[in-house]
């Protein structure tokens, strides 16, 4: 069952101040969920979630993450700067970038972020540019040793990370350079709903931690098992049971890390989707109906507001406000206005009969939603609103205007 933290009357009231389309985030849902994750891993004194900034790069949402005790996972200078401006700095930032230019490393260095590098050649690159920080982590790509999933792809074909042999080589190199603080990172799947997958990932990195201790005499300070916990986009999907994952990880820890004498080892995660995804909604108005070979509902949002359906063929649940309990006896394609036939939020979706002016809510848009937006066809990015715990609404990003869109153009010297 898909539920909403608001009803039609509330959204009509909000839409009177902030015209559709807009993204709206449920603060209560986000906070409760953040606390659920921290509580699940409370057994690990040094558990830390680094929220993946790219999922919702908005200062108000990042401030909530900070208040809930999360750090931030960044991969670009803009994300680093956002964190700086929200007061997330130092080792509360995990800088997990790839193909990174020197000026981005420089910013990460300035902020004292944890360097989690993506390739062995970047050791030399760092030496020649910003220097090697005192705490260094490497991203592991298990290649043929692990199966991935659809968003990241098979690890063997994925551009990220070090091979297993390169890890040994890299720690040895850094050891010789006098580095003393080390971490290990991996992220092999995205939007994964199988809880055992994350337990297996922890087993994999724990085994590596033991191998580094035995072969290199290196004691890792942390392992970061990545983000990638999936969310139930479809009504019959089951959310990942965090307590189950935590118990499984603890079992691996007790079996491997403690007997090896490597306790305490910090466990880090860097989820984005799982933290905010289910608590963000794209609200849009039906503006046209079209009857050709199929039935179409044209809405005032488009793929530029949420590209997951167009990009991945992803399912996003749609609720027609006020018609939640009406018979879903129509079948529609719900479409935007881009000159792109994959600009569809839903295809052949059973829905109640829709009239122009009806409000549609597109669920699970709270991560990799607004942030993936773009300006193709001159479409403007929408506002972002925060539904606070007291029921009030705060605009946390205004909608773009045509002036924003044209700000980089030169009309003078034509
Ligand atoms: C995108 C990304 C994440 C977050 O992924 P989710 O699927 O949102 O949990 C975490 N770490 C890295 C390195 C990423 O690229």
């Amino acid at each position: 069952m898909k539920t909403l933290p608001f009803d039609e009357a509330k959204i009509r009231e909000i839409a009177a101040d902030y015209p559709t389309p807009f993204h709206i985030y449920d603060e209560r849902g986000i906070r409760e969920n953040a606390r659920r994750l921290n509580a699940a891993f409370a057994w690990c004194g040094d558990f830390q979630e680094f929220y993946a900034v790219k999922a919702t790069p908005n200062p108000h949402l990042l401030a909530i993450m900070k208040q809930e005790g999360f750090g931030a996972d960044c991969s670009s200078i803009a994300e680093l700067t956002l964190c700086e401006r929200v007061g997330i700095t130092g080792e509360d930032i995990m800088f997990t970038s790839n193909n990174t230019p020197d000026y981005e490393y420089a910013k990460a260095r300035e902020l004292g972020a944890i360097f989690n590098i993506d390739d062995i050649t970047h050791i030399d690159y760092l030496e020649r540019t910003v220097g090697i920080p005192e705490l260094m982590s490497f991203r592991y790509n298990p290649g043929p040793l692990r199966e991935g999933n659809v968003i990241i792809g098979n690890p063997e074909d994925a551009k990220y990370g070090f091979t297993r042999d390169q890890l040994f080589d890299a720690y040895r190199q850094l050891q010789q350079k006098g580095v003393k603080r080390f971490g290990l990172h991996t992220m092999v799947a995205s939007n994964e709903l199988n809880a055992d997958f994350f337990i297996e990932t922890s087993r994999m990195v724990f085994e590596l931690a033991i191998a580094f201790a035995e072969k290199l005499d290196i004691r890792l300070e942390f392992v970061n098992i990545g983000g990638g916990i999936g969310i139930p986009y479809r009504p019959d999907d089951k959310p990942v049971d965090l307590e189950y994952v935590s118990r499984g990880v603890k079992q691996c820890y007790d079996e491997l890390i403690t007997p090896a004498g490597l306790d305490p080892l910090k466990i880090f995660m860097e989820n984005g989707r799982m933290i905010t995804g289910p608590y963000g909604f794209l609200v849009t108005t039906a503006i046209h109906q079209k009857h050709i070979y199929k039935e179409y509902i044209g809405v005032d949002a488009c793929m530029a507001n949420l590209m997951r359906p167009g990009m991945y063929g992803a399912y996003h649940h749609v609720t027609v406000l006020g018609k939640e309990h009406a018979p879903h006896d129509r079948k529609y394609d719900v479409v935007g206005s881009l000159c792109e036939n994959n600009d569809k939020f839903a295809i052949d979706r059973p829905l109640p009969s829709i009239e122009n002016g009806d409000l549609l809510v597109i669920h699970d848009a709270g991560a990799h939603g607004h942030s993936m937006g773009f300006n193709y066809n001159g479409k403007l990015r929408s506002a972002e609103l925060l539904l606070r715990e007291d029921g009030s609404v705060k605009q946390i990003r205004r909608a773009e205007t045509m002036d924003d869109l044209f700000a980089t153009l030169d009309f003078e010297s034509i």
Side-chain angles (χ1 to χ4, degrees):
M1 250 299 275
K2 288 281 189 187
T3 57
L4 291 171
F6 42 68
D7 59 9
E8 183 188 5
K10 179 77 183 173
I11 292 294
R12 294 231 173 256
E13 185 191 314
I14 295 169
D17 293 331
Y18 306 105
T20 61
F22 56 77
H23 283 258
I24 184 165
Y25 303 91
D26 171 24
E27 178 171 1
R28 181 191 305 276
I30 291 172
R31 286 191 188 274
E32 286 177 358
N33 194 39
R35 290 170 196 172
R36 198 148 52 223
L37 178 67
N38 281 337
F41 281 89
W43 62 268
C44 175
D46 287 311
F47 174 77
Q48 175 82 40
E49 153 77 9
F50 294 81
Y51 178 70
V53 173
K54 70 171 190 260
T56 56
N58 185 299
H60 291 268
L61 297 174
L62 295 181
I64 292 175
M65 302 307 158
K66 181 174 153 71
Q67 285 162 12
E68 295 301 333
F70 290 174
D73 168 45
C74 297
S75 62
S76 70
I77 191 164
E79 293 174 2
L80 288 166
T81 305
L82 262 175
C83 286
E84 179 182 27
R85 295 190 58 177
V86 174
I88 303 174
T89 58
E91 292 181 10
D92 287 333
I93 300 177
M94 180 74 57
F95 188 51
T96 303
S97 56
N98 69 91
N99 188 24
T100 316
D102 55 4
Y103 59 89
E104 298 200 331
Y105 276 138
K107 185 70 188 175
R109 195 94 161 87
E110 176 197 322
L111 295 181
I114 301 175
F115 271 54
N116 180 33
I117 67 173
D118 185 71
D119 188 56
I120 192 163
T121 63
H122 285 229
I123 296 176
D124 285 345
Y125 187 69
L126 285 177
E127 264 194 323
R128 281 186 279 115
T129 55
V130 304
I132 296 185
E134 72 166 69
L135 171 57
M136 286 287 291
S137 172
F138 305 131
R139 179 172 186 163
Y140 174 46
N141 178 337
L145 305 175
R146 265 319 272 284
E147 275 179 25
N149 74 1
V150 65
I151 295 184
I152 293 203
N154 250 342
E156 241 181 314
D157 298 321
K159 67 171 178 169
Y160 308 110
F162 291 56
T163 67
R164 193 183 155 94
D165 288 346
Q166 285 175 339
L167 286 181
F168 285 87
D169 189 4
Y171 285 117
R172 200 175 285 117
Q173 281 187 37
L174 287 188
Q175 221 173 6
Q176 283 161 5
K177 294 180 196 300
V179 174
K180 297 209 168 50
R181 300 179 61 204
F182 297 102
L184 173 67
H185 167 274
T186 195
M187 171 148 170
V188 272
S190 189
N191 193 26
E192 178 58 59
L193 284 172
N194 175 4
D196 290 314
F197 194 92
F198 301 97
I199 299 171
E200 277 315 298
T201 297
S202 70
R203 175 179 295 281
M204 178 180 83
V205 294
F206 291 159
E207 283 171 349
L208 277 169
I210 293 170
F212 301 145
E214 285 173 353
K215 300 212 169 74
L216 303 171
D217 197 23
I218 273 183
R219 183 158 178 172
L220 294 183
E221 202 169 300
F222 69 81
V223 291
N224 179 343
I225 59 175
I229 294 183
I231 59 171
Y233 284 104
R234 291 176 183 273
D236 49 358
D237 283 343
K238 297 268 175 297
V240 172
D241 180 341
L242 297 175
E243 287 74 23
Y244 175 90
V245 172
S246 168
R247 277 197 303 278
V249 172
K250 182 170 190 316
Q251 203 173 337
C252 294
Y253 190 97
D254 292 343
E255 235 172 72
L256 296 165
I257 295 300
T258 310
L262 298 179
D263 172 58
L265 173 66
K266 297 177 189 171
I267 298 174
F268 294 165
M269 291 195 90
E270 49 187 33
N271 293 289
R273 186 187 320 273
M274 177 253 142
I275 306 293
T276 50
Y279 311 103
F281 307 87
L282 172 58
V283 179
T284 183
T285 304
I287 55 171
H288 292 293
Q289 319 228 352
K290 175 163 177 159
H291 319 285
I292 50 169
Y293 308 103
K294 297 176 81 170
E295 293 295 302
Y296 293 91
I297 297 297
V299 294
D300 62 1
C302 69
M303 186 184 168
N305 303 109
L306 178 70
M307 73 188 293
R308 298 191 69 263
M311 185 166 174
Y312 306 121
Y315 179 95
H316 278 259
H317 199 66
V318 176
T319 295
V320 184
L321 289 177
K323 297 184 176 173
E324 289 84 345
H325 303 293
H328 284 41
D329 54 2
R330 306 298 165 95
K331 194 184 272 185
Y332 294 118
D333 281 16
V334 177
V335 303
S337 56
L338 290 193
C339 305
E340 271 296 333
N341 196 41
N342 59 353
D343 182 18
K344 297 184 175 183
F345 291 111
I347 297 173
D348 295 332
R349 183 73 57 86
L351 286 168
S353 173
I354 293 174
E355 287 148 59
N356 291 343
D358 279 355
L359 290 165
L360 277 65
V361 176
I362 301 171
H363 292 244
D364 301 305
H368 316 297
H370 188 284
S371 63
M372 277 185 151
F374 55 101
N375 288 118
Y376 190 53
N377 270 172
K379 292 297 167 180
L380 302 174
R381 272 179 283 247
S382 76
E384 291 185 295
L385 310 177
L386 184 64
L387 177 61
R388 304 209 111 146
E389 290 179 286
D390 65 4
S392 65
V393 169
K394 183 177 171 71
Q395 178 171 261
I396 56 172
R397 184 197 301 264
R398 68 163 171 80
E400 284 178 344
T401 64
M402 205 81 88
D403 284 342
D404 294 327
L405 187 67
F406 291 162
T408 52
L409 293 177
D410 166 27
F411 292 100
E412 304 311 315
S413 63
I414 326 169

